[in-house]
Amino acid sequence: MKWKTLLASALLMSGMSTGAAFAQEEGGEAPPIQDLPREETLILQNPEGVINNPGWFNIWVSAGGGTSTGLHQLMMDTLWYIDPNEGIDGVNYNSLASAPPEYNDDFTEMTVSLSEGIYWSDGEEFTADDVVFTVQTQMDTPGLVWSGAFSTQVESVEAVDDYTVKFTLQAPNSRFHSVFSVRWNAAWIMPEHIFSEVDDIMSYDFAEPVGLGPYTLHSYDPNGTWYIWQKRDDWDRTTVAEYGEPAPQYVIYRNNMPIDNRLIEMRNGNLDMIHDLSPEGMFSIVEQEDDVRGWFPGFPYAHPDPTLPMFIFNHQNEKFEDAKVRWALALMLEARTLSMASYRGAATLSAISIPPTGTHPDDYHGPMQDELINFELDTGESTIKPYNPDVGLEIAEFVRPQFGDEVPTDEEEIRRAFGYGWWGQDIEAAGELLRSAGFTQEGNQWMMPNGEPFGFTVLIPSEGVINRLGTIAAQTWTQNGVQVTAEVAPDIWPRTEAGDFEMEVGWAVETWGGHPDLSFFLDSYHSQYVSEPGEIQPARNWMRWTNPELDALIEEVRQSDFSDLERNVELGREFVRLHLQDMPNIPVMSYNVFVAMSERYWTGYPTAENPYANPVNNWANSRYILTQLEPVSQ
Amino acid sequence: MKAYLWFAAKRAIQLLVVVFFGVSIAFFITNLSPIDPVQQTLSRITSRSGFSPEAVEQMRTALTELYGVDGSMFEQYLNFWRRLSTGDLGPSLIAFPTPAMTLVMRALPWTVGLLAFSIMMTWLLGNMLGGLAGYFQNNRLLKAFGVVAMGVQPIPYYIVAFLMLILFGFIWPILPISGGFAMNVRPGWNMPFILSVLQHAILPSMSLILVGFGTWFLGMRSLVSNIVTEDYVTYAELAGVKRNRIVFAYVMRNAAVPQLTALAMTLGAIFSGTIITEQVFNYPGIGTLLVDAVNGGDNATVLAVSTVAIFSVAVAIFIVDLIHPILDPRVKAE
């Protein structure tokens, strides 16, 4: 009987391999063919799950192919990049464009000068025809990713000569170039000489991708969990060359990795950069591995992402119509509790609706400190100054016994890491605000003007720091007389877009980060995006906030000169003041990303001491990191 | 023989009815999902800048047409059966325009291979040892297996998988913890690839075997413990029938009948995949595909998985039904 069991096992295992081989061969993809020299290979974690269409490289069709697989970081290119941090040589990079965009006086025309001497990976020269083809094809092909963006904004596009493109716009817009400005993603340029030969672009997989970036596809997992890229021999004919030669000969992106696997693989030398960890995972790996570090050299380690988790009210829900109610809920919260519960203290708090990342602390948080300290709020019964400028310092002292020397001591450094300040918890003032909004109190329970108990549901994601943030806030509000239920909602995004929520925890703000201009998210707040209650709306202005003053401000931004930084910063500060008055959502903190970087094989990563790039390696501008890395073995 | 053919024909008709209703129910349940695939794609695309409300509406119209999700549910139901009759379940929406069936066929061999091996190993080991433990109740080694089975069975699978991960991937890193095969081998009919596949399957299959073993062991031990008290076993022993024959031909064969039925039901789990296994070990397979498809509102792929699952489970049970009369004379007599 024993031999029968063994035979059955062998047959099954053999069948398994056979099936797997069959599945791979049927996919027909080019296989990896050699061992990769580790000292020449950079291995990165891609946060995407399994890539359902691993052989799909046509990034202009949303078809389940990965984007953070290295495709948009290493192969694609477009006109400009904006770094969420300080950049190698400033925040703005001219990439395929050789200069910033030139607009006419009324912002109805945009002219772009293109870089010369740039070549596609198959040897064809990049010219204005590629840009014109990209735009015209998208306008002519509904369903392509950027077709809507172009067909509703572009009147016509033409090649003035081989290296100049002129856009005529349907309406004045001084920020049209944003479509071609990469922070995480943007409208990538298509190779005209290839796509012009394709009959049906929507079903074309671009299986042998040709790109403008410094790497080409080496091989990939037909099951969609890893991609290998190889440096082009002619990398000096790409736009990255201006900043140096990318150091790794090979770059591997690995996706669908749970946190435990990431930690183990980094310790085993099979990962150089982890995109994100839990706070506990990060604390653990920097403590145990001498060659692993985070963005900050010590606590809180994490990189403040240019996104801003917040409590988002549904303004079409009558419970939140009155700004006094929104302010009351803000003043019931306690910043230290929020920080400790979500990030175990490693949070960078923000009282204003701009994430404290990149250059924003210099443009907004720092310069607006006096204004915030002196900000007065009329509760209806008294006037208070709700801002506490020292919350960050208090949290630093709170975690110092646990993390000791890892916690910075310099005050400015603490403010950068822990935030400049937040609202002081003031239950009495919150009560005054609610009373002046017509609420009453029965015991500890607040009652709405219609006599019903005041309570609501807050949608929270299934896991992670934001889940913890929502849970602790719900508890705090409940303790203070507002019955709040935290509902774990795996479908939080579709429900948000459908307006099917009372409050949710998430982010409604993503900024450039390194650039002071706020148009990237501010334009989303225009009331033109707000749908009727119960109707789905675009992934914009999720709180459905309508404010004529805000609309006027946004329209002014649309017609202001992008390069006029002074004016743009002033318009940004106007937005902050408007937000303070209205408190349409309660900003809490930047979304801190625990990027772990191993210096076992490579060094020269971006850090808080040398913030030349966003360290989050699924962002497309992470390609500039490759030019700054050096192998440790040298 | 004629009676057996009539029995098989009745079962075959039952098979067709079950498949028809099963697939129909799967279609309607899937289509009641509140997730709108067009909206999902739109959210992905329009979260970038440059999309006015007009642009979004234009995209919505284009995608609705492309995905073929317009028309009433009944029209889509008829369309579904029309397509199914040609083996086409339409394009996947999370991997548009790749056919949903292509995704399923790409993922299925991994899950079938891993789970079929693990389940069969678990079944054989659990039943063999459980049967012997039920018969030889004083054997110390078999008693020890019982203790192990009772100790491991209540532990949640995730914990066992995680322990294996830590033990063999971290503390004693001798086995790969991620993926279906190594990056430096050529997929196909070659020994390095086959060995790599086997090597990558060791941890996930060991974790499944360890957890599944206890259930079969304890079940079989209990069944055999009852059977050994039956008169016919006592009679066989008194009649001097050889011990091996009593154990395997009289006792374990009879006890195997319900276990075989349970095995057929368990094999059905293959098609819902080993979602946790695939997550813990980053192993390719149908479970991850199914989760992605459900989250992405990809009805075509969900239905493709469901249809294959319903058909396969029904066929597995059909085959077990056909085998039953051979194993169990009482069924044969019916």
Side-chain angles (χ1 to χ4, degrees):
Chain A
M1 196 66 190
K2 190 178 176 186
W3 67 269
K4 286 181 182 172
T5 306
L6 287 173
L7 180 65
S9 311
L11 284 172
L12 275 165
M13 286 299 265
S14 161
M16 178 178 161
S17 304
T18 304
F22 172 74
Q24 307 322 304
E25 288 189 333
E26 196 182 48
E29 290 86 10
I33 52 173
Q34 64 194 58
D35 285 320
L36 304 177
R38 186 65 181 88
E39 66 281 5
E40 294 178 22
T41 307
L42 178 73
I43 310 179
L44 308 168
Q45 184 233 329
N46 165 13
E48 289 179 297
V50 167
I51 308 302
N52 291 302
N53 218 352
W56 187 275
F57 296 94
N58 183 348
I59 202 169
W60 298 275
V61 175
S62 182
T67 52
S68 306
T69 57
L71 179 62
H72 79 165
Q73 294 90 343
L74 305 179
M75 272 214 71
M76 296 294 157
D77 206 346
T78 187
L79 305 182
W80 300 280
Y81 281 68
I82 290 184
D83 202 282
N85 286 88
E86 293 180 6
I88 297 171
D89 187 25
V91 170
N92 290 68
Y93 293 84
N94 293 318
S95 196
L96 291 174
S98 61
E102 289 176 28
Y103 287 94
N104 65 349
D105 289 343
D106 65 355
F107 299 105
T108 53
E109 290 176 4
M110 182 181 85
T111 304
V112 184
S113 300
L114 300 176
S115 301
E116 298 181 30
I118 304 300
Y119 286 80
W120 293 93
S121 54
D122 62 356
E124 192 83 15
E125 189 182 10
F126 161 74
T127 67
D129 288 343
D130 293 309
V131 179
V132 171
F133 178 82
T134 300
V135 176
Q136 195 61 56
T137 302
Q138 306 252 356
M139 289 168 67
D140 295 342
T141 317
L144 287 177
V145 170
W146 286 276
S147 63
F150 287 131
S151 59
T152 55
Q153 294 189 82
V154 177
E155 184 66 44
S156 64
V157 55
E158 59 177 310
V160 177
D161 58 43
D162 275 357
Y163 304 105
T164 311
V165 180
K166 183 179 169 189
F167 293 86
T168 303
L169 306 179
Q170 294 177 14
N173 184 359
S174 61
R175 300 296 190 274
F176 173 67
H177 63 281
S178 298
V179 185
F180 296 104
S181 300
V182 174
R183 183 204 57 161
W184 180 76
N185 201 349
W188 306 107
I189 304 303
M190 305 168 93
E192 185 263 346
H193 63 286
I194 292 176
F195 277 79
S196 59
E197 303 295 318
V198 175
D199 289 335
D200 180 10
I201 291 174
M202 293 302 295
S203 61
Y204 176 56
D205 59 10
F206 200 26
E208 295 176 7
V210 169
L212 288 164
Y215 287 78
T216 52
L217 181 68
H218 174 277
S219 52
Y220 66 94
D221 177 8
N223 300 302
T225 62
W226 50 260
Y227 286 76
I228 304 176
W229 306 86
Q230 184 169 8
K231 187 163 59 178
R232 279 169 59 171
D233 292 336
D234 63 339
W235 59 267
D236 54 342
R237 297 204 299 182
T238 69
T239 57
V240 175
E242 190 177 341
Y243 304 96
E245 179 179 358
Q249 182 67 22
Y250 301 97
V251 181
I252 302 177
Y253 282 79
R254 301 179 62 187
N255 50 297
N256 195 39
M257 300 185 78
I259 285 178
D260 305 324
N261 290 47
R262 295 174 214 168
L263 289 168
I264 293 171
E265 291 289 46
M266 179 165 272
R267 283 203 65 175
N268 291 347
N270 298 323
L271 260 186
D272 295 310
M273 289 182 86
I274 295 177
H275 165 269
D276 197 8
L277 285 170
S278 62
E280 295 77 12
M282 189 74 197
F283 302 159
S284 160
I285 199 162
V286 292
E287 187 184 328
Q288 293 178 27
E289 295 293 304
D290 290 339
D291 56 15
V292 174
R293 62 158 295 162
W295 173 257
F296 288 108
F299 195 88
Y301 308 106
H303 175 262
D305 209 46
T307 50
L308 190 68
M310 52 178 60
F311 298 105
I312 300 173
F313 300 105
N314 182 345
H315 284 243
Q316 291 177 336
N317 185 313
E318 59 183 18
K319 291 176 187 172
F320 307 118
E321 274 176 357
D322 193 332
K324 291 190 183 75
V325 176
R326 303 194 288 269
W327 257 110
L329 290 168
L331 295 183
M332 284 182 182
L333 296 171
E334 207 275 308
R336 196 172 71 179
T337 308
L338 297 178
S339 172
M340 292 306 297
S342 58
Y343 278 98
R344 292 186 53 188
T348 311
L349 295 166
S350 181
I352 61 175
S353 195
I354 298 175
T357 187
T359 58
H360 290 337
D362 298 329
D363 297 322
Y364 297 103
H365 294 80
M368 295 191 79
Q369 279 303 291
D370 286 344
E371 211 170 320
L372 287 166
I373 290 167
N374 295 319
F375 174 73
E376 291 185 340
L377 184 67
D378 179 4
T379 66
E381 296 176 20
S382 64
T383 301
I384 61 165
K385 290 184 177 180
Y387 187 67
N388 175 1
D390 296 325
V391 173
L393 302 175
E394 291 165 13
I395 295 172
E397 290 312 311
F398 190 75
V399 297
R400 200 178 299 284
Q402 184 184 356
F403 291 95
D405 296 342
E406 297 285 295
V407 181
T409 50
D410 176 70
E411 187 177 322
E412 186 55 28
E413 211 176 318
I414 292 174
R415 290 188 190 283
R416 283 271 179 184
F418 293 86
Y420 278 79
W422 213 70
W423 313 113
Q425 187 183 40
D426 192 339
I427 304 301
E428 196 179 332
E432 291 173 8
L433 283 160
L434 287 178
R435 273 194 295 275
S436 67
F439 285 57
T440 53
Q441 205 169 11
E442 287 183 11
N444 186 42
Q445 171 65 50
W446 284 101
M447 311 298 286
M448 294 189 288
N450 62 8
E452 291 179 8
F454 183 33
F456 54 89
T457 299
V458 55
L459 301 188
I460 60 176
S462 309
E463 55 186 15
V465 290
I466 308 301
N467 168 290
R468 304 183 202 177
L469 177 67
T471 305
I472 194 67
Q475 285 176 13
T476 309
W477 282 318
T478 301
Q479 283 164 3
N480 290 304
V482 183
Q483 299 303 315
V484 181
T485 306
E487 180 188 342
V488 173
D491 55 349
I492 191 167
W493 297 119
R495 284 179 67 180
T496 301
E497 285 164 6
D500 178 20
F501 70 104
E502 293 186 293
M503 176 194 271
E504 70 143 304
V505 192
W507 54 79
V509 169
E510 290 195 37
T511 65
W512 295 118
H515 195 284
D517 181 54
L518 300 184
S519 65
F520 186 73
F521 80 89
L522 200 52
D523 199 68
S524 310
Y525 280 10
H526 198 286
S527 61
Q528 72 185 111
Y529 293 101
V530 178
S531 298
E532 292 297 311
E535 285 183 16
I536 294 173
Q537 69 176 44
R540 299 299 172 111
N541 198 346
W542 292 326
M543 56 274 185
R544 301 183 174 224
W545 177 30
T546 302
N547 183 320
E549 281 181 72
L550 179 67
D551 285 351
L553 183 67
I554 293 167
E555 281 153 22
E556 189 175 345
V557 171
R558 285 175 182 170
Q559 298 195 43
S560 69
D561 187 347
F562 180 71
S563 60
D564 185 352
L565 296 185
E566 198 177 329
R567 180 65 188 145
N568 287 331
V569 168
E570 189 46 42
L571 288 170
R573 291 179 188 167
E574 278 301 314
F575 160 70
V576 172
R577 292 176 193 120
L578 191 61
H579 189 284
L580 285 179
Q581 293 297 333
D582 228 15
M583 193 56 84
N585 42 45
I586 307 173
V588 185
M589 56 185 67
S590 64
Y591 181 74
N592 279 359
V593 181
F594 291 96
V595 176
M597 298 172 271
S598 168
E599 295 185 317
R600 187 181 302 184
Y601 296 102
W602 298 96
T603 186
Y605 300 105
T607 61
E609 307 96 287
N610 182 22
Y612 68 82
N614 178 22
V616 183
N617 57 55
N618 72 325
W619 290 35
N621 52 8
S622 64
R623 67 183 193 157
Y624 294 109
I625 297 174
L626 303 184
T627 67
Q628 307 302 303
L629 292 179
E630 290 177 15
V632 170
S633 58
Q634 267 187 357
Chain B
M1 189 63 189
K2 195 175 173 185
Y4 184 75
L5 286 177
W6 176 237
F7 166 80
K10 279 198 295 186
R11 289 289 184 271
I13 291 167
Q14 278 178 0
L15 166 74
L16 292 176
V17 173
V18 165
V19 168
F20 174 77
F21 280 105
V23 170
S24 296
I25 290 168
F27 174 88
F28 287 110
I29 289 176
T30 306
N31 278 275
L32 286 173
S33 162
I35 300 175
D36 177 356
V38 172
Q39 186 61 30
Q40 293 277 95
T41 304
L42 272 178
S43 299
R44 271 202 306 273
I45 294 175
T46 58
S47 59
R48 298 155 195 151
S49 62
F51 288 87
S52 64
E54 297 75 34
V56 174
E57 281 315 305
Q58 192 186 80
M59 295 291 291
R60 189 189 307 280
T61 306
L63 289 172
T64 304
E65 194 177 316
L66 271 173
Y67 287 1
V69 289
D70 43 357
S72 69
M73 194 183 291
F74 186 68
E75 285 169 339
Q76 291 187 43
Y77 176 67
L78 292 180
N79 203 21
F80 165 72
W81 276 109
R82 225 180 347 257
R83 278 203 310 261
L84 187 61
S85 64
T86 63
D88 170 26
L89 282 165
S92 158
L93 304 186
I94 54 170
F96 185 85
T98 304
M101 216 52 189
T102 302
L103 298 190
V104 174
M105 295 319 290
R106 191 185 291 154
L108 203 53
W110 292 96
T111 307
V112 168
L114 180 70
L115 274 192
F117 171 74
S118 305
I119 290 173
M120 288 306 293
M121 282 299 289
T122 310
W123 191 85
L124 286 170
L125 282 174
N127 282 310
M128 189 61 66
L129 294 172
L132 292 173
Y135 192 85
F136 302 105
Q137 294 179 6
N138 294 321
N139 184 293
R140 287 185 182 177
L141 181 65
L142 293 169
K143 273 185 177 175
F145 276 119
V147 173
V148 172
M150 278 194 285
V152 174
Q153 197 196 15
I155 303 176
Y157 171 74
Y158 182 83
I159 302 292
V160 174
F162 183 70
L163 287 174
M164 304 285 275
L165 193 75
I166 295 293
L167 198 61
F168 297 108
F170 180 58
I171 296 172
W172 194 29
I174 54 169
L175 289 169
I177 61 167
S178 183
F181 60 93
M183 281 184 245
N184 59 353
V185 295
R186 178 195 295 270
W189 293 97
N190 59 80
M191 197 47 72
F193 174 73
I194 291 172
L195 289 176
S196 185
V197 169
L198 295 179
Q199 194 187 23
H200 282 71
I202 291 174
L203 276 186
S205 60
M206 264 171 61
S207 62
L208 289 166
I209 289 169
L210 202 58
V211 172
F213 167 79
T215 309
W216 295 115
F217 180 94
L218 296 172
M220 190 66 170
R221 190 177 68 174
S222 172
L223 284 166
V224 170
S225 298
N226 289 330
I227 290 174
V228 291
T229 62
E230 297 271 347
D231 291 342
Y232 74 90
V233 177
T234 311
Y235 181 77
E237 284 172 342
L238 292 173
V241 178
K242 283 183 180 175
R243 177 64 60 88
N244 278 356
R245 186 164 173 75
I246 296 173
V247 173
F248 292 109
Y250 294 173
V251 176
M252 288 183 47
R253 179 176 159 174
N254 285 350
V257 175
Q259 297 291 78
L260 195 66
T261 308
L263 173 67
M265 305 298 284
T266 310
L267 287 172
I270 285 176
F271 300 96
S272 58
T274 45
I275 292 170
I276 298 175
T277 310
E278 289 173 16
Q279 288 298 313
V280 172
F281 297 103
N282 191 12
Y283 201 78
I286 206 85
T288 306
L289 176 66
L290 189 59
V291 171
D292 282 356
V294 170
N295 289 338
D298 183 356
N299 293 350
T301 303
V302 174
L303 269 172
V305 175
S306 308
T307 303
V308 171
I310 290 165
F311 185 75
S312 306
V313 173
V315 167
I317 293 173
F318 174 66
I319 292 169
V320 169
D321 275 351
L322 295 186
I323 294 172
H324 258 179
I326 299 165
L327 285 176
D328 189 342
R330 289 168 300 181
V331 177
K332 195 175 183 178
E334 283 175 20

